[in-house]
Amino acid sequence: MSIRAIHRAGSHDLLVDLDSLDAVLALNATLEAAPLPGQRDLLAAAQTVLLKFDSGQNAERAMAALPELEVASAIHAAGKLVEVPVHYDGEDLAAVAELAGMSIEAVISVHATQKWRAVFGGFAPGFAYLLGENQKLNVPRRDSPRTKVPAGAVALAGEYSAVYPRQSPGGWQLIGHTDLQMWDLHRENPALIQPQDTVQFIPATERLSVSQAPAARDEEPEQAHSGGLKIIDAGLQSLLQDAGRIGYGNLGVGVAGAADPAAYSQANRLVGNPAGHAVIENLGSRITVEACEDQVLAHTGAQAQLWITPAPDDQHRTERQVASNAPFALLHGERLSMEPVGQGLRSYLAVRGEITLSPVLGSLSTDTLSGLGPDPLVPGSVIPVKQPSIGHIVGNPQPSTLPVPDEQGIYRLRIMAGPRTEWFGPQGLRQLADQLWDVTSESNRVGIRLSTGEQRLERILSGELSSEGVARGSLQVPPSGLPVLFLADHPVTGGYPVIATVIAEDLSAAAQLPPGSKIRFVLQSPAVQPAT
């Protein structure tokens, strides 16, 4: 195995550069069969493998162990044959013909007469990168990506072809569409095309209609009890979130999970829940819930006032205020209303017990980018809760986990250089750390879009970066020169260089910064270890 370099991708993850696709597939197969200590996930791409670990210590150990790892030669496993009927009517078909120097008919023939091998997944659940038998249709991405590519679109970019599993942004060249459902959670294997499968595109004889149905969700089980919480006012955005989906990177499935892991974990501890239970994540700290049977709750995260109003038929109680970062009772029929009063962006509301909805790929997290997980909460939603067994003790009040700015109102986030600092050089890295960055209103759970009144980042390398796995906390820099800080729902792969990565310990702070916040990045350590 020829490792060219091992890059730190933040404090917990590694990006391994290899010299061939066969080397990528061999390392991926080896680490799938025998994971390294603390390995949580891995994601193969054209020239890299992204490895995610549970701690910085295990990432450090893996960095030392990888060059000595015994890896067998790449074995092209015999996957299944998937036939994909295509109506060749894509908006970019004529442009592809011009770029390839052939007629439209020849483009269709070249695409449909060769077999394509699914070499790795990424970008979105069910999205597979397909490598053809020849390079005749090697065309660049569009100069200007589309904001909406329809589900079922058949596309080309570089040496790869792919089918978009759902509507999403995309910069690939569209040559046709299919009505096959590429991702379906009701199948035993949700992804129709998986790594090592062979794909044969077949020209359709009739016009196909592409299904625009959203990603399938598991049916919620019928509840034998009415205990839980009812949503009266969901505020700006209220979602169920837990620790996320671990181990599905090669299927294009991101982790998602709570945007602020520290506040999320604290909320569960306060109500006596085991780590990993689902809670309500609310944007803007404005929500009203009603108790169905007596419940114990705790609020953490963004600062808010919490008021409890008694049930309409309760003449013995009056409105009362309860404290954040401490457990409190919400009796049957009572309503809890939250109002924002200070710092922070996201609130977490935990209820003692287990939320008994059906998980999707092992998690109740709602992924706003891919659409996986439960629907966002709306007025009338009922969250069923199973009360815990005896012995789950509620916690004592705890200090807030919110980040604190310095005297100038600036928030400091620690970063590690890389994995693609060379695209910007030492000057670009110094510029990133020396100037102030503003959080824009376009930010969300996918990422924080940054702006600056100073100089934008400029690349010193030209060309395109092959799509590769990206870590949570990555500062990806598009051609605009304005970084995007990836949060919980970020895409699993990206095609823009990542100049630096926020360390895992500061990601909770990043998730709590509202638009208008000012950030200074503080460089921690080098990120690249040459292979030995």
Side-chain angles (χ1 to χ4, degrees):
M1 177 182 66
S2 299
I3 293 179
R4 293 187 297 179
I6 304 172
H7 308 258
R8 294 302 299 265
S11 52
H12 286 27
D13 303 334
L14 302 176
L15 186 70
V16 184
D17 272 333
L18 297 119
D19 61 0
S20 69
L21 178 59
D22 278 349
V24 166
L25 298 178
L27 178 60
N28 182 76
T30 298
L31 294 176
E32 280 189 333
L36 295 171
Q39 179 182 313
R40 302 178 77 214
D41 203 357
L42 72 168
L43 197 154
Q47 299 172 10
T48 61
V49 176
L50 178 70
L51 301 174
K52 298 185 176 184
F53 293 91
D54 59 1
S55 69
Q57 291 84 353
N58 279 325
E60 289 281 357
R61 295 187 186 103
M63 203 165 187
L66 279 166
E68 309 300 325
L69 192 66
E70 292 187 9
V71 178
S73 299
I75 299 174
H76 295 169
K80 63 183 181 296
L81 173 66
V82 181
E83 294 184 340
V84 179
V86 181
H87 188 84
Y88 287 96
D89 62 351
E91 296 178 43
D92 301 320
L93 187 57
V96 167
E98 183 175 352
L99 288 166
M102 59 181 72
S103 67
I104 289 177
E105 291 74 18
V107 168
I108 296 171
S109 176
V110 170
H111 191 255
T113 55
Q114 64 178 307
K115 287 184 169 61
W116 299 79
R117 181 163 62 101
V119 287
F120 51 86
F123 178 66
F127 189 99
Y129 289 79
L130 310 175
L131 188 64
E133 296 172 316
N134 59 61
Q135 295 288 304
K136 294 179 180 179
L137 295 179
N138 191 328
V139 294
R141 292 181 177 90
R142 286 170 50 88
D143 291 337
S144 177
R146 291 181 171 89
T147 57
K148 291 183 180 180
V149 174
V154 179
L156 295 166
E159 57 187 339
Y160 299 102
S161 187
V163 182
Y164 281 77
R166 68 191 300 268
Q167 181 176 287
S168 63
W172 289 38
Q173 307 277 3
L174 307 186
I175 61 172
H177 71 269
T178 180
D179 65 353
L180 289 182
Q181 192 166 358
M182 310 307 295
W183 179 263
D184 184 353
L185 286 168
H186 291 105
R187 290 194 291 249
E188 181 179 357
N189 295 311
L192 180 65
I193 302 172
Q194 300 187 60
Q196 303 307 323
D197 285 348
T198 299
V199 175
Q200 181 74 64
F201 293 105
I202 302 172
T205 55
E206 299 179 0
R207 184 171 184 86
L208 304 175
S209 60
V210 180
S211 171
Q212 298 293 336
R217 303 179 187 271
D218 288 348
E219 293 295 326
E220 297 178 5
E222 292 186 8
Q223 300 300 318
H225 56 81
S226 58
L229 296 175
K230 181 178 181 180
I231 304 299
I232 305 302
D233 180 357
L236 290 177
Q237 183 187 69
S238 291
L239 310 169
L240 291 180
Q241 296 294 344
D242 55 21
R245 297 177 180 84
I246 309 299
Y248 296 97
N250 276 330
L251 292 180
V253 177
V255 174
D260 178 347
Y264 157 73
S265 298
Q266 184 185 56
N268 268 326
R269 288 195 304 271
L270 288 170
V271 296
N273 283 345
H277 273 205
V279 306
I280 299 173
E281 178 183 279
N282 170 261
L283 179 66
S285 300
R286 195 182 301 276
I287 185 174
T288 301
V289 301
E290 181 179 301
C292 306
E293 298 184 358
D294 295 350
Q295 308 293 338
V296 175
L297 280 67
H299 164 263
T300 62
Q303 293 176 343
Q305 284 189 342
L306 281 61
W307 293 95
I308 294 178
T309 55
D313 58 352
D314 190 339
Q315 305 298 320
H316 304 288
R317 291 185 176 87
T318 59
E319 185 178 54
R320 67 187 189 276
Q321 188 173 7
V322 293
S324 297
N325 307 307
F328 58 88
L330 189 69
L331 304 181
H332 177 68
E334 290 186 332
R335 291 185 177 184
L336 169 71
S337 296
M338 289 180 0
E339 296 287 340
V341 294
Q343 292 181 333
L345 183 64
R346 293 179 169 91
S347 283
Y348 292 84
L349 194 63
V351 57
R352 185 171 184 267
E354 181 182 2
I355 295 175
T356 57
L357 298 174
S358 294
V360 176
L361 297 180
S363 170
L364 285 180
S365 285
T366 299
D367 187 330
T368 61
L369 181 65
S370 70
L372 289 179
D375 289 321
L377 300 173
V378 297
S381 297
V382 176
I383 302 172
V385 178
K386 178 182 178 182
Q387 294 298 318
S389 57
I390 296 174
H392 291 263
I393 302 171
V394 299
N396 294 317
Q398 298 179 3
S400 171
T401 62
L402 283 177
V404 178
D406 65 16
E407 296 81 1
Q408 288 77 40
I410 299 169
Y411 292 90
R412 296 178 182 270
L413 299 179
R414 293 168 290 177
I415 58 172
M416 298 179 72
R420 296 301 176 198
T421 309
E422 71 273 12
W423 282 68
F424 305 91
Q427 174 58 33
L429 190 60
R430 284 195 298 269
Q431 180 188 337
L432 175 70
D434 288 347
Q435 64 190 42
L436 290 178
W437 299 90
D438 298 314
V439 176
T440 73
S441 60
E442 296 177 343
S443 305
N444 52 31
R445 276 180 52 88
V446 175
I448 298 174
R449 293 186 178 273
L450 301 174
S451 66
T452 181
E454 303 178 58
Q455 185 179 357
R456 299 184 179 198
L457 299 176
E458 294 184 5
R459 301 178 184 180
I460 61 172
L461 297 181
S462 59
E464 287 193 7
L465 178 70
S466 297
S467 291
E468 59 189 20
V470 287
R472 186 169 176 171
S474 295
L475 284 161
Q476 189 184 70
V477 186
S480 68
L482 296 174
V484 179
L485 169 53
F486 280 158
L487 296 181
D489 291 351
H490 71 84
V492 296
T493 59
Y496 297 133
V498 173
I499 186 172
T501 309
V502 175
I503 67 172
E505 292 78 5
D506 285 4
L507 290 175
S508 287
Q512 290 292 356
L513 302 184
S517 299
K518 293 190 177 298
I519 297 174
R520 188 178 299 281
F521 295 110
V522 181
L523 187 62
Q524 294 296 290
S525 66
V528 180
Q529 175 177 308
T532 57

